[in-house]
Amino acid sequence: MSIIQLKNLKKHFGNQEVLHDINLEVNKSEVVVLMGPSGSGKSTLLRCLTFLEEPTAGAIKIGEHTLAAGEKLTRQRKNKIRDLRKSTGFVFQQFNLFPHKTAIENVMEAPMIVKGMKQDEARELAQSLLDKVGLGERCNHYPSQLSGGQKQRVAIARALAMKPTVMLYDEPTSALDPELVREVLQVMKELAKEGMTMVVVTHEMRFAKDVADRVVFMDGGYIVEQGRPEEIFNQPKEDRTKRFLAQVIGE
Ligand SMILES: Nc1ncnc2c1ncn2[C@@H]1O[C@H](COP(=O)(O)OP(=O)(O)OP(=O)(O)O)[C@@H](O)[C@H]1O
Ligand SMILES: [Mg+2]
């Protein structure tokens, strides 16, 4: 059963079409890794999925929320976009934590503001999520007092606090020192094991091999090929995939 559906998705920036008629379905509990060269449209795809960018054409479904591109921005549509967004957790390369709030306050914020959760309940939820990502002891630290890996784990806990149907990650480990990458990937791996549906933009081959059910390779705004990690990595069919993999492995 698919939980995410992209139908004939297109995105233009001015005259430039950066996503060309993308069709993609993701099943419940599936982990999809999106790979591809810089500028291939990976971030734009994730951003369109949550309407952080308005798609030019096509339709998007996440869980029970369906939205078509290009409709007038009525209040009803704004509500629909908000509901769709509430059902997704988005983790960015640059963490995007509130610098003046502690770890636990960062995690409590959205449930209280967006869902109207009581402070005590939000604190309890946030504490349990910080425990889950291994940061229970650091809950009163400010972002400036945390390492990059710890900040990213707080960001994951914060996304989880909204009890999302799907988690989206845009290069969650690319801003991290190599020794901190693993702790973040480990948290993501555990979430995957628990059955979380995830779309992950990453070049971490090891993670893709160990955790992904499917690798989707993009280039130039197209999905060039997709398949199980071992198929894509060991027997890529398309030249563009081969070239990209040779480059990533060579790094
Ligand atoms: N806000 C914007 N305005 C104009 N063009 C944009 C904008 N955002 C992205 N683009 C263009 O869209 C294309 C796809 O960009 P996108 O950021 O989605 O690529 P990407 O695959 O995520 O690349 P990277 O690996 O470098 O993050 C690029 O040509 C980029 O220049
Ligand atoms: Mg990107």
Side-chain angles (χ1 to χ4, degrees), residues 118-188:
K118 294 268 188 318
Q119 189 170 9
D120 286 350
E121 201 187 333
R123 187 173 295 278
E124 208 172 301
L125 170 67
Q127 183 68 57
S128 72
L129 289 170
L130 288 170
D131 287 343
K132 186 184 174 77
V133 300
L135 289 173
E137 319 258 274
R138 308 262 162 161
C139 59
N140 293 320
H141 284 55
Y142 287 90
S144 61
Q145 301 168 316
L146 297 171
S147 73
Q150 291 168 340
K151 278 190 263 211
Q152 195 59 299
R153 287 186 282 147
V154 174
I156 292 173
R158 182 180 57 174
L160 292 173
M162 290 297 285
K163 305 226 184 317
T165 324
V166 304
M167 286 286 282
L168 309 176
Y169 303 82
D170 194 353
E171 303 207 29
T173 59
S174 339
L176 302 178
D177 292 337
E179 71 272 20
L180 302 178
V181 168
R182 200 202 311 203
E183 65 191 45
V184 172
L185 294 179
Q186 190 55 37
V187 165
M188 291 166 62

Side-chain angles (χ1 to χ4, degrees), residues 13-14 16 18-19 36-45 53 93 170-171 201 203:
F13 288 111
Q16 193 195 4
V18 301
L19 294 177
S38 181
S40 57
K42 306 177 298 293
S43 297
T44 306
L45 192 150
E53 290 289 354
Q93 184 177 348
D170 194 353
E171 303 207 29
V201 175
H203 294 164

Side-chain angles (χ1 to χ4, degrees), residues 206-217:
R206 184 80 256 160
F207 176 81
K209 279 184 189 154
D210 291 350
V211 183
D213 298 299
R214 180 158 43 122
V215 173
V216 172
F217 176 70

